[in-house]
Amino acid sequence: MLTCLKFVVLLLLLSSRSCDGLQFNDIDEEVELVAQSSRYGSLWPLPQKVQLSDVSFKLTTSSFRIVDAKESSAGPSCSLLQNAYRRYYDYIFENAKKSWQAKGKRTGPSELGELQVWITSADSECDGYPSVTSDESYELTVNQPFAVLKAPKVWGALHGLETFSQLVYKDEFGTKNINQTTISDFPRFAHRGILLDSSRHFLPIKVILANLETMAMNKFNVFHWHIVDDQSFPYLSRTFPQLSQKGAYHPYTHVYTPADVKMVIEFARLRGIRVVPEYDTPGHTQSWGKGQADLLTPCYAGSKPSGAFGPVNPILNTTYDFMTQFFKEISTVFPDAYIHLGGDEVDFTCWKSNPDIQKFMEQQGFGQDYSKLESFYIQKLLNIVSTTNKGYMIWQEVFDNGVKLKPDTVIHVWKGNAQQYKNEMANVTSSGYQTLLSTPWYLNRISYGQDWQGFYKADPQDFKGTEEQKKLVIGGEACLWGEYVDATNLTPRLWPRASAVAERLWSAKDVTDISDAFNRLSAHRCRMVERDIPAEPLFSSYCPHEYKGV
Amino acid sequence: LAPHRPPRDRPTPPLRGPGCRPRAPLRRCPRYIPPLRVWPMPQISASSPEQYPLNPEAFYFEYGRQSEAQPGCSVLDAAFKRYFSLIFPDYFPVTKNFELFHDILIFLDVPISLKYNLSVCAGQASLKAETVWGALRGLETFSQLVYQDDFGSFFVNKTDIEDFPRFQFRGILLDTSRHYLPVQAILKTLDAMAYSKFNVFHWHIVDDPSFPYQSQTFPDLSAKGAFHPMTHIYTQTDVQRVISYARLRGIRVLPEFDSPGHTQSWGKGQSDLLTPCYKGGTPSGAFGPVNPTLPSTYQFIARLFKEVSSVFPDSYIHLGGDEVNFFCWKSNPDVRAFMQKMGFGTDFTKLEAFYMESIVNITSTLNKTAIVWQDVFDYHELLHIWKGVPYDYTKELSRITKAGKRVVLAAPWYINHIAYGQDWRKSYTVQPLNFSGTEEQKKLVIGGEVCMWGEYVDATNLTPRLWPRASAAAERLWSDEKQTSSVEKAFPRLQDFRCKLLRRGIQAEPLYVGHCRHEYQGI
């Protein structure tokens, strides 16, 4: 491997003078990781229970169908499933759209003619939104004369369709095959998320949709939309249009209109993905101040305002009036039961400089403890959000600062090294709160080599605590913060690195074999590439169909 | 906003190029005057607040009357076309017979020196260069001088530029063996290279993992050694396409056929080429580097290189010669017998030198200049690298140039190594001539190269990983080091340049938070 540093030397004359007195170079043959085929083919994330046989059936474009089982509680009116059938048919047959219309012909003896999708519970939830308590389980039986996918709800059926499509492979003649298989599957964790940051860089809708599509291929079910931050406010608010008018990078080309947001939410719903928006306050709000006067704290230099602004001003009633109206809008725009309220990295220097704040601190008896002021603000904010009947998630600092929280609050752990985050998980859960882990999965932090292995090895329940505490871990999120990421590099930077997190959050705890994971993940990344997702390579290798979107 | 001025220690060139008409009266209302935002920074430049509108309907390029190159010059004819749409990205000609009045025109004049001179004044701009290759760089600079105001109108400011590269060799290495890069990805890279004024595409075309070059003489090499014999190869047509695409952009294509190590894929299509490794007294089934003891090896290399040197017109050929692992040679009894016969004792570096000397001789009979990796020059330092000691390339530069060898520097620009944050700053602050040595020694450093090895890179992530990070090295290799020593000053100009790349369809990643007027529209 050419991993060491070199020069290129231009030789006009090559003398052998330089070759005297050299030592032996006693290095063993290098062993390079070469993808082998796994016993489990290209399944990713690995289902909970898989039984594979060597018996294979053919699938043909002209006759294969995905249909509703007669007993299914979801019928042709369930557009979520009908859309999914079409999508997966296209994936299975590599966009052979024409043949979809072709007339069915009789299936041969070794052919699989149908996949029947059977929603078993009375309420399929077809027209609903997925939630943290959604049943995502499914059972898949591939056998003649037809395959059956059974799921209590449509959410499980979506995952089962993905799994079915992953079982299909091409033989050397290009024919599609699937082996006789029995799978029973369900997620280990209910919350399996990806955080994208559309404030540091604006992400065109197309990029967000492509990543929702890829999330579905990896059985992720939460899109944590870190939609606004210091740098820009691209969310077009109907109540406060000035926020994006003044706070976005550009008021027309770099904003998300209500229609855009609706499209993202529906696109996600059709793939069983929740959209949890994050409106981070009181810090990380520089861009809010541009369109909303008096919202941010004026910082002082000496006895005069410096012209700079700090976090949200927690001492004004107008602040809370604004928040009430704003979150009322957010709670109707985003159907998910949770809103992420941020609360991280509040810088106290500006608050400290402001004489009005100092006075307020005195009145309230906070002394010099500005975290009490932060708590004061958060407490009021939580009360406001509670009136909208939404649950909330917050970054760990809010918990660390001792803010009083509702018992169903989800604490999002993101700080520290391995030991520190494990302690934090233990503390949060011993206080009885539900928690989400992100610390080991900051995918924006890149380094040379196969860093997916580190993501793969982290386990959110790997901390000291009781069984009860472990149950409070509802999952984790891979975060791709946007300082160095935009539409140009987001997708290859996220995939397949986030896929490693996907398997950790979905598959059984004991699925930890790195070399088997490498083999399956290599094949899985080639499948994403074949589906036009520019997922980057794990190591030297090739895909039968290389990425064509250059 | 003040116009860009060259540093004080340089004489300010007259703000009046040849052919400039008397200055037009300045407009009354103050307009936005952009600072000179050209990347890489030209050697000498002066611009003024005076701005001229460019009308896409009336703008055209024209060969100067006294120019040696005239219509029919393929490189410039094509470049005029290309740069027209780069300058006016949204413009599609709507009227068929547009008026030909002299708004701004560019022509090539008689050669005056090695540099190109670009002078933009009212009514016309003139570009003088000794060769078409200089003219291409001048066109690139001109295209970067043009900007759009908020209403979409095009402007260029009165500008005089005298420019030439600091180093003659400014390369990018792509590795098409560890991952196959579709031809389209290579062509896109060549486009972006021209925008940063790179002039050498070092094509590390084959290596251990695969042999995608389809040889006319030895078709089995790719038939058996490529990842796939049909879809993952470069046919002769592909190679010709790359070479001519590069030529039109003033880029040389330097092929590398690395041996005797890094040749696992060669062995699949050419039996007896690689050394059989032994375990105990029997062949283990594994193969090592090229077998240097057989005459058939040299016959093969001679025929292969004869083909390569006729396919690739460049006068240089890269022979590799890096990281040869002696383990397999040592195990092989025939190799050991050969060592004894040649009097090499147990010094396998002598065997490697013997091999390299033989193939360098082969290339010189083909009238090609050989380039090799530094390992061939000295093995001691390589051991240090394996042990992970930080590598001091300035010492190496002193040593190698002292021996009178010409050098291309690649060590600080291995940009396949990625890290979190703005690592372009490191590439930018490299000082290639900051080593102890005489003036004569410094002249032996003919340039540098940015390497994008392919272990973790393919068509999915190549472009954003390469750009704009490689552009940092481009400026170091082109521009005057004193004028471009500040990373902070370079930052906004590079940000601006990366937005230009986006506008031109190059998927260049962001340097830091912010936005471009036209964001990338793919995924």
Side-chain angles (χ1 to χ4, degrees), chain A residues 1-2 4 7-10 18 22 24 201 206 254 486 488 539 541 546, chain B residues 179 232 322-323 346 371-372 374 379 385 406 453 498 507 512 514 519 521:
Chain A
M1 285 171 18
L2 286 156
C4 53
F7 297 85
V8 190
V9 183
L10 202 86
S18 58
L22 299 174
F24 285 150
H201 285 99
K206 203 172 150 188
H254 288 63
D486 73 0
T488 61
F539 193 61
S541 67
E546 299 291 356
Chain B
H179 286 98
H232 287 63
D322 60 318
E323 301 181 312
T346 51
I371 305 188
V372 294
Q374 77 183 104
Y379 301 88
I385 298 165
R406 290 192 281 163
W453 295 101
R498 106 102 183 164
Q507 193 184 344
Y512 192 54
E519 299 288 359
Q521 288 307 317

mmCIF file of all heavy atoms in Angstrom, chain A residues 1-2 4 7-10 18 22 24 201 206 254 486 488 539 541 546, chain B residues 179 232 322-323 346 371-372 374 379 385 406 453 498 507 512 514 519 521:
data_model
loop_
_atom_site.group_PDB
_atom_site.id
_atom_site.type_symbol
_atom_site.label_atom_id
_atom_site.label_comp_id
_atom_site.label_asym_id
_atom_site.label_seq_id
_atom_site.Cartn_x
_atom_site.Cartn_y
_atom_site.Cartn_z
ATOM 1 N N MET A 1 0.825 -1.189 0.000
ATOM 2 C CA MET A 1 0.000 0.000 0.000
ATOM 3 C C MET A 1 0.863 1.245 0.000
ATOM 4 O O MET A 1 1.853 1.323 0.695
ATOM 5 C CB MET A 1 -0.871 0.018 1.242
ATOM 6 C CG MET A 1 -2.006 -0.949 1.122
ATOM 7 S SD MET A 1 -2.917 -1.173 2.639
ATOM 8 C CE MET A 1 -2.466 0.228 3.583
ATOM 9 N N LEU A 2 0.458 2.170 -0.791
ATOM 10 C CA LEU A 2 1.257 3.383 -0.903
ATOM 11 C C LEU A 2 0.824 4.378 0.149
ATOM 12 O O LEU A 2 0.331 5.436 -0.149
ATOM 13 C CB LEU A 2 1.059 3.980 -2.289
ATOM 14 C CG LEU A 2 1.765 3.216 -3.391
ATOM 15 C CD1 LEU A 2 1.101 3.455 -4.702
ATOM 16 C CD2 LEU A 2 3.208 3.611 -3.441
ATOM 17 N N CYS A 4 2.811 5.551 2.617
ATOM 18 C CA CYS A 4 3.850 6.376 3.200
ATOM 19 C C CYS A 4 4.159 7.530 2.265
ATOM 20 O O CYS A 4 3.732 7.563 1.126
ATOM 21 C CB CYS A 4 5.084 5.544 3.432
ATOM 22 S SG CYS A 4 5.568 4.693 1.963
ATOM 23 N N PHE A 7 8.645 11.013 -2.621
ATOM 24 C CA PHE A 7 8.886 11.974 -3.679
ATOM 25 C C PHE A 7 8.800 11.240 -4.988
ATOM 26 O O PHE A 7 8.911 10.037 -5.042
ATOM 27 C CB PHE A 7 10.306 12.490 -3.645
ATOM 28 C CG PHE A 7 10.652 13.226 -2.429
ATOM 29 C CD1 PHE A 7 11.064 12.561 -1.308
ATOM 30 C CD2 PHE A 7 10.562 14.587 -2.430
ATOM 31 C CE1 PHE A 7 11.403 13.252 -0.190
ATOM 32 C CE2 PHE A 7 10.919 15.278 -1.312
ATOM 33 C CZ PHE A 7 11.334 14.627 -0.188
ATOM 34 N N VAL A 8 8.685 12.021 -5.992
ATOM 35 C CA VAL A 8 8.949 11.452 -7.291
ATOM 36 C C VAL A 8 10.314 11.997 -7.646
ATOM 37 O O VAL A 8 10.551 13.181 -7.539
ATOM 38 C CB VAL A 8 7.941 11.944 -8.317
ATOM 39 C CG1 VAL A 8 8.082 11.152 -9.584
ATOM 40 C CG2 VAL A 8 6.551 11.849 -7.765
ATOM 41 N N VAL A 9 11.226 11.155 -7.998
ATOM 42 C CA VAL A 9 12.556 11.612 -8.376
ATOM 43 C C VAL A 9 12.704 11.438 -9.864
ATOM 44 O O VAL A 9 12.394 10.387 -10.409
ATOM 45 C CB VAL A 9 13.644 10.793 -7.659
ATOM 46 C CG1 VAL A 9 15.007 11.336 -8.018
ATOM 47 C CG2 VAL A 9 13.428 10.830 -6.169
ATOM 48 N N LEU A 10 13.152 12.450 -10.492
ATOM 49 C CA LEU A 10 13.314 12.383 -11.918
ATOM 50 C C LEU A 10 14.738 11.940 -12.187
ATOM 51 O O LEU A 10 15.678 12.627 -11.842
ATOM 52 C CB LEU A 10 13.095 13.785 -12.456
ATOM 53 C CG LEU A 10 12.724 13.820 -13.894
ATOM 54 C CD1 LEU A 10 11.241 13.650 -13.996
ATOM 55 C CD2 LEU A 10 13.137 15.138 -14.459
ATOM 56 N N SER A 18 23.799 4.172 -5.052
ATOM 57 C CA SER A 18 22.964 4.340 -3.873
ATOM 58 C C SER A 18 22.546 3.020 -3.248
ATOM 59 O O SER A 18 21.831 2.990 -2.276
ATOM 60 C CB SER A 18 21.719 5.128 -4.253
ATOM 61 O OG SER A 18 21.049 4.433 -5.274
ATOM 62 N N LEU A 22 22.831 -1.917 2.164
ATOM 63 C CA LEU A 22 21.476 -1.750 2.656
ATOM 64 C C LEU A 22 21.036 -2.964 3.453
ATOM 65 O O LEU A 22 21.545 -4.057 3.291
ATOM 66 C CB LEU A 22 20.534 -1.507 1.486
ATOM 67 C CG LEU A 22 20.896 -0.237 0.717
ATOM 68 C CD1 LEU A 22 20.039 -0.110 -0.505
ATOM 69 C CD2 LEU A 22 20.756 0.982 1.597
ATOM 70 N N PHE A 24 18.236 -5.711 5.062
ATOM 71 C CA PHE A 24 17.082 -6.478 4.601
ATOM 72 C C PHE A 24 15.793 -5.801 5.027
ATOM 73 O O PHE A 24 15.725 -5.152 6.047
ATOM 74 C CB PHE A 24 17.113 -7.887 5.161
ATOM 75 C CG PHE A 24 18.114 -8.743 4.481
ATOM 76 C CD1 PHE A 24 18.727 -9.769 5.169
ATOM 77 C CD2 PHE A 24 18.456 -8.533 3.150
ATOM 78 C CE1 PHE A 24 19.660 -10.566 4.548
ATOM 79 C CE2 PHE A 24 19.386 -9.317 2.535
ATOM 80 C CZ PHE A 24 20.004 -10.346 3.220
ATOM 81 N N HIS A 201 -24.717 24.791 6.451
ATOM 82 C CA HIS A 201 -24.862 24.870 4.998
ATOM 83 C C HIS A 201 -26.299 24.533 4.663
ATOM 84 O O HIS A 201 -26.880 23.628 5.270
ATOM 85 C CB HIS A 201 -23.923 23.890 4.286
ATOM 86 C CG HIS A 201 -22.499 24.331 4.293
ATOM 87 N ND1 HIS A 201 -21.578 23.841 5.185
ATOM 88 C CD2 HIS A 201 -21.836 25.240 3.527
ATOM 89 C CE1 HIS A 201 -20.408 24.425 4.971
ATOM 90 N NE2 HIS A 201 -20.536 25.274 3.971
ATOM 91 N N LYS A 206 -33.651 18.117 -2.478
ATOM 92 C CA LYS A 206 -33.274 16.894 -3.186
ATOM 93 C C LYS A 206 -32.292 16.053 -2.367
ATOM 94 O O LYS A 206 -32.377 14.824 -2.331
ATOM 95 C CB LYS A 206 -32.601 17.324 -4.491
ATOM 96 C CG LYS A 206 -32.606 16.316 -5.589
ATOM 97 C CD LYS A 206 -32.073 16.975 -6.856
ATOM 98 C CE LYS A 206 -31.374 15.979 -7.725
ATOM 99 N NZ LYS A 206 -30.699 16.617 -8.858
ATOM 100 N N HIS A 254 -32.414 29.875 -0.474
ATOM 101 C CA HIS A 254 -31.847 29.095 0.621
ATOM 102 C C HIS A 254 -32.829 28.988 1.793
ATOM 103 O O HIS A 254 -32.463 29.187 2.943
ATOM 104 C CB HIS A 254 -30.524 29.713 1.088
ATOM 105 C CG HIS A 254 -29.388 29.516 0.119
ATOM 106 N ND1 HIS A 254 -29.402 30.043 -1.146
ATOM 107 C CD2 HIS A 254 -28.215 28.831 0.218
ATOM 108 C CE1 HIS A 254 -28.272 29.707 -1.769
ATOM 109 N NE2 HIS A 254 -27.539 28.972 -0.972
ATOM 110 N N ASP A 486 -21.869 19.977 2.740
ATOM 111 C CA ASP A 486 -23.054 20.469 2.039
ATOM 112 C C ASP A 486 -23.440 19.457 0.962
ATOM 113 O O ASP A 486 -22.969 18.308 1.006
ATOM 114 C CB ASP A 486 -22.848 21.895 1.509
ATOM 115 C CG ASP A 486 -21.907 21.953 0.318
ATOM 116 O OD1 ASP A 486 -21.407 20.888 -0.112
ATOM 117 O OD2 ASP A 486 -21.674 23.061 -0.187
ATOM 118 N N THR A 488 -22.443 18.887 -1.817
ATOM 119 C CA THR A 488 -21.365 18.302 -2.618
ATOM 120 C C THR A 488 -20.798 17.035 -2.004
ATOM 121 O O THR A 488 -20.345 16.150 -2.720
ATOM 122 C CB THR A 488 -20.193 19.297 -2.782
ATOM 123 O OG1 THR A 488 -19.658 19.604 -1.486
ATOM 124 C CG2 THR A 488 -20.640 20.568 -3.470
ATOM 125 N N PHE A 539 -12.969 0.140 1.172
ATOM 126 C CA PHE A 539 -11.556 -0.125 0.925
ATOM 127 C C PHE A 539 -11.400 -0.464 -0.550
ATOM 128 O O PHE A 539 -12.401 -0.544 -1.271
ATOM 129 C CB PHE A 539 -11.059 -1.287 1.823
ATOM 130 C CG PHE A 539 -9.573 -1.404 1.857
ATOM 131 C CD1 PHE A 539 -8.809 -0.358 2.339
ATOM 132 C CD2 PHE A 539 -8.921 -2.537 1.388
ATOM 133 C CE1 PHE A 539 -7.427 -0.439 2.340
ATOM 134 C CE2 PHE A 539 -7.547 -2.630 1.396
ATOM 135 C CZ PHE A 539 -6.793 -1.579 1.883
ATOM 136 N N SER A 541 -11.513 -2.000 -3.904
ATOM 137 C CA SER A 541 -12.472 -3.004 -4.360
ATOM 138 C C SER A 541 -13.225 -2.435 -5.547
ATOM 139 O O SER A 541 -12.886 -1.381 -6.060
ATOM 140 C CB SER A 541 -13.496 -3.308 -3.269
ATOM 141 O OG SER A 541 -14.303 -2.163 -3.055
ATOM 142 N N GLU A 546 -20.561 0.682 -11.134
ATOM 143 C CA GLU A 546 -19.966 1.811 -10.415
ATOM 144 C C GLU A 546 -20.914 3.006 -10.468
ATOM 145 O O GLU A 546 -21.824 3.056 -11.297
ATOM 146 C CB GLU A 546 -18.608 2.184 -11.027
ATOM 147 C CG GLU A 546 -17.566 1.071 -10.973
ATOM 148 C CD GLU A 546 -17.052 0.754 -9.563
ATOM 149 O OE1 GLU A 546 -17.444 1.442 -8.613
ATOM 150 O OE2 GLU A 546 -16.270 -0.213 -9.440
ATOM 151 N N HIS B 179 -9.452 1.526 -7.040
ATOM 152 C CA HIS B 179 -10.835 1.578 -7.505
ATOM 153 C C HIS B 179 -10.802 2.012 -8.950
ATOM 154 O O HIS B 179 -10.005 2.864 -9.320
ATOM 155 C CB HIS B 179 -11.674 2.563 -6.683
ATOM 156 C CG HIS B 179 -12.023 2.059 -5.321
ATOM 157 N ND1 HIS B 179 -11.333 2.406 -4.206
ATOM 158 C CD2 HIS B 179 -12.996 1.196 -4.917
ATOM 159 C CE1 HIS B 179 -11.850 1.785 -3.153
ATOM 160 N NE2 HIS B 179 -12.866 1.053 -3.561
ATOM 161 N N HIS B 232 -14.677 -2.703 -16.404
ATOM 162 C CA HIS B 232 -13.725 -2.008 -15.548
ATOM 163 C C HIS B 232 -12.357 -1.910 -16.215
ATOM 164 O O HIS B 232 -11.330 -2.209 -15.608
ATOM 165 C CB HIS B 232 -13.631 -2.708 -14.182
ATOM 166 C CG HIS B 232 -14.829 -2.477 -13.312
ATOM 167 N ND1 HIS B 232 -16.083 -2.896 -13.663
ATOM 168 C CD2 HIS B 232 -14.964 -1.843 -12.115
ATOM 169 C CE1 HIS B 232 -16.942 -2.548 -12.698
ATOM 170 N NE2 HIS B 232 -16.287 -1.901 -11.758
ATOM 171 N N ASP B 322 8.553 1.724 -6.048
ATOM 172 C CA ASP B 322 8.409 1.934 -4.615
ATOM 173 C C ASP B 322 8.015 0.673 -3.879
ATOM 174 O O ASP B 322 7.468 -0.257 -4.460
ATOM 175 C CB ASP B 322 7.344 3.010 -4.347
ATOM 176 C CG ASP B 322 6.002 2.597 -4.918
ATOM 177 O OD1 ASP B 322 5.993 2.072 -6.051
ATOM 178 O OD2 ASP B 322 4.981 2.782 -4.250
ATOM 179 N N GLU B 323 8.306 0.686 -2.609
ATOM 180 C CA GLU B 323 7.841 -0.335 -1.665
ATOM 181 C C GLU B 323 7.992 -1.767 -2.161
ATOM 182 O O GLU B 323 7.036 -2.525 -2.185
ATOM 183 C CB GLU B 323 6.361 -0.091 -1.328
ATOM 184 C CG GLU B 323 6.096 1.257 -0.723
ATOM 185 C CD GLU B 323 4.634 1.433 -0.377
ATOM 186 O OE1 GLU B 323 3.765 1.142 -1.224
ATOM 187 O OE2 GLU B 323 4.352 1.849 0.748
ATOM 188 N N THR B 346 23.770 -11.153 -0.102
ATOM 189 C CA THR B 346 22.392 -11.260 0.382
ATOM 190 C C THR B 346 21.710 -9.898 0.345
ATOM 191 O O THR B 346 20.702 -9.672 1.003
ATOM 192 C CB THR B 346 22.361 -11.809 1.814
ATOM 193 O OG1 THR B 346 23.267 -11.038 2.595
ATOM 194 C CG2 THR B 346 22.729 -13.270 1.863
ATOM 195 N N ILE B 371 10.790 8.541 -14.622
ATOM 196 C CA ILE B 371 10.571 9.082 -13.280
ATOM 197 C C ILE B 371 10.366 7.889 -12.352
ATOM 198 O O ILE B 371 9.695 6.926 -12.725
ATOM 199 C CB ILE B 371 9.318 9.978 -13.216
ATOM 200 C CG1 ILE B 371 9.396 11.082 -14.264
ATOM 201 C CG2 ILE B 371 9.134 10.558 -11.832
ATOM 202 C CD1 ILE B 371 8.296 12.121 -14.137
ATOM 203 N N VAL B 372 10.977 7.960 -11.188
ATOM 204 C CA VAL B 372 10.793 6.871 -10.224
ATOM 205 C C VAL B 372 10.502 7.460 -8.855
ATOM 206 O O VAL B 372 10.810 8.612 -8.582
ATOM 207 C CB VAL B 372 12.049 5.976 -10.123
ATOM 208 C CG1 VAL B 372 12.297 5.247 -11.415
ATOM 209 C CG2 VAL B 372 13.262 6.802 -9.711
ATOM 210 N N GLN B 374 11.099 7.877 -4.832
ATOM 211 C CA GLN B 374 12.373 8.087 -4.161
ATOM 212 C C GLN B 374 12.980 6.811 -3.600
ATOM 213 O O GLN B 374 14.175 6.747 -3.371
ATOM 214 C CB GLN B 374 12.215 9.087 -3.020
ATOM 215 C CG GLN B 374 11.559 8.467 -1.796
ATOM 216 C CD GLN B 374 11.351 9.472 -0.700
ATOM 217 O OE1 GLN B 374 10.260 9.920 -0.496
ATOM 218 N NE2 GLN B 374 12.407 9.850 -0.026
ATOM 219 N N TYR B 379 17.207 3.488 0.215
ATOM 220 C CA TYR B 379 16.313 2.603 0.959
ATOM 221 C C TYR B 379 16.293 2.900 2.447
ATOM 222 O O TYR B 379 15.406 2.479 3.157
ATOM 223 C CB TYR B 379 16.730 1.150 0.741
ATOM 224 C CG TYR B 379 16.689 0.792 -0.718
ATOM 225 C CD1 TYR B 379 17.814 1.005 -1.518
ATOM 226 C CD2 TYR B 379 15.537 0.291 -1.292
ATOM 227 C CE1 TYR B 379 17.772 0.716 -2.864
ATOM 228 C CE2 TYR B 379 15.503 -0.002 -2.629
ATOM 229 C CZ TYR B 379 16.615 0.201 -3.420
ATOM 230 O OH TYR B 379 16.577 -0.082 -4.735
ATOM 231 N N ILE B 385 10.097 5.254 7.453
ATOM 232 C CA ILE B 385 8.673 5.433 7.214
ATOM 233 C C ILE B 385 7.884 4.250 7.750
ATOM 234 O O ILE B 385 6.869 4.400 8.393
ATOM 235 C CB ILE B 385 8.379 5.614 5.716
ATOM 236 C CG1 ILE B 385 9.075 6.869 5.226
ATOM 237 C CG2 ILE B 385 6.883 5.730 5.476
ATOM 238 C CD1 ILE B 385 9.160 6.956 3.743
ATOM 239 N N ARG B 406 16.857 15.725 -10.452
ATOM 240 C CA ARG B 406 15.694 16.608 -10.440
ATOM 241 C C ARG B 406 14.582 15.975 -9.597
ATOM 242 O O ARG B 406 14.461 14.759 -9.538
ATOM 243 C CB ARG B 406 15.211 16.851 -11.865
ATOM 244 C CG ARG B 406 16.192 17.721 -12.644
ATOM 245 C CD ARG B 406 15.594 18.209 -13.928
ATOM 246 N NE ARG B 406 15.633 17.176 -14.941
ATOM 247 C CZ ARG B 406 14.887 17.218 -16.050
ATOM 248 N NH1 ARG B 406 14.039 18.209 -16.231
ATOM 249 N NH2 ARG B 406 14.985 16.260 -16.953
ATOM 250 N N TRP B 453 -4.415 8.787 -3.614
ATOM 251 C CA TRP B 453 -4.387 7.334 -3.696
ATOM 252 C C TRP B 453 -5.789 6.784 -3.497
ATOM 253 O O TRP B 453 -6.620 7.399 -2.829
ATOM 254 C CB TRP B 453 -3.404 6.766 -2.676
ATOM 255 C CG TRP B 453 -2.006 7.182 -2.994
ATOM 256 C CD1 TRP B 453 -1.280 8.168 -2.402
ATOM 257 C CD2 TRP B 453 -1.189 6.655 -4.040
ATOM 258 N NE1 TRP B 453 -0.061 8.282 -3.007
ATOM 259 C CE2 TRP B 453 0.036 7.373 -4.013
ATOM 260 C CE3 TRP B 453 -1.339 5.659 -5.000
ATOM 261 C CZ2 TRP B 453 1.072 7.120 -4.908
ATOM 262 C CZ3 TRP B 453 -0.308 5.399 -5.887
ATOM 263 C CH2 TRP B 453 0.880 6.121 -5.839
ATOM 264 N N ARG B 498 -14.089 28.268 -4.890
ATOM 265 C CA ARG B 498 -14.843 27.016 -4.791
ATOM 266 C C ARG B 498 -16.292 27.242 -5.271
ATOM 267 O O ARG B 498 -16.870 26.358 -5.897
ATOM 268 C CB ARG B 498 -14.736 26.428 -3.400
ATOM 269 C CG ARG B 498 -15.933 26.524 -2.507
ATOM 270 C CD ARG B 498 -16.733 25.241 -2.384
ATOM 271 N NE ARG B 498 -17.875 25.573 -1.529
ATOM 272 C CZ ARG B 498 -18.975 24.864 -1.397
ATOM 273 N NH1 ARG B 498 -19.119 23.743 -2.042
ATOM 274 N NH2 ARG B 498 -19.935 25.274 -0.623
ATOM 275 N N GLN B 507 -18.077 19.395 -8.305
ATOM 276 C CA GLN B 507 -18.652 19.148 -6.981
ATOM 277 C C GLN B 507 -17.601 19.389 -5.896
ATOM 278 O O GLN B 507 -17.169 18.453 -5.236
ATOM 279 C CB GLN B 507 -19.106 17.686 -7.013
ATOM 280 C CG GLN B 507 -19.978 17.199 -5.936
ATOM 281 C CD GLN B 507 -20.216 15.710 -6.124
ATOM 282 O OE1 GLN B 507 -19.967 15.149 -7.201
ATOM 283 N NE2 GLN B 507 -20.678 15.051 -5.082
ATOM 284 N N TYR B 512 -15.692 25.787 4.856
ATOM 285 C CA TYR B 512 -16.231 26.017 6.193
ATOM 286 C C TYR B 512 -17.680 26.455 6.020
ATOM 287 O O TYR B 512 -18.192 26.417 4.900
ATOM 288 C CB TYR B 512 -15.386 27.078 6.936
ATOM 289 C CG TYR B 512 -15.698 27.150 8.411
ATOM 290 C CD1 TYR B 512 -15.630 26.005 9.188
ATOM 291 C CD2 TYR B 512 -16.088 28.343 8.998
ATOM 292 C CE1 TYR B 512 -15.950 26.059 10.541
ATOM 293 C CE2 TYR B 512 -16.397 28.401 10.354
ATOM 294 C CZ TYR B 512 -16.332 27.250 11.109
ATOM 295 O OH TYR B 512 -16.656 27.296 12.442
ATOM 296 N N GLY B 514 -21.078 28.510 5.407
ATOM 297 C CA GLY B 514 -21.337 29.551 4.428
ATOM 298 C C GLY B 514 -22.199 29.032 3.304
ATOM 299 O O GLY B 514 -22.768 27.947 3.401
ATOM 300 N N GLU B 519 -25.846 26.714 -5.399
ATOM 301 C CA GLU B 519 -25.392 25.517 -4.705
ATOM 302 C C GLU B 519 -25.325 24.347 -5.675
ATOM 303 O O GLU B 519 -25.928 24.364 -6.739
ATOM 304 C CB GLU B 519 -26.340 25.167 -3.543
ATOM 305 C CG GLU B 519 -26.457 26.240 -2.462
ATOM 306 C CD GLU B 519 -25.222 26.373 -1.583
ATOM 307 O OE1 GLU B 519 -24.253 25.616 -1.773
ATOM 308 O OE2 GLU B 519 -25.225 27.268 -0.714
ATOM 309 N N GLN B 521 -26.282 21.057 -7.354
ATOM 310 C CA GLN B 521 -27.646 20.576 -7.541
ATOM 311 C C GLN B 521 -27.789 19.059 -7.619
ATOM 312 O O GLN B 521 -28.871 18.546 -7.836
ATOM 313 C CB GLN B 521 -28.271 21.228 -8.776
ATOM 314 C CG GLN B 521 -28.601 22.704 -8.554
ATOM 315 C CD GLN B 521 -29.454 22.955 -7.319
ATOM 316 O OE1 GLN B 521 -30.406 22.237 -7.053
ATOM 317 N NE2 GLN B 521 -29.093 23.962 -6.531
#
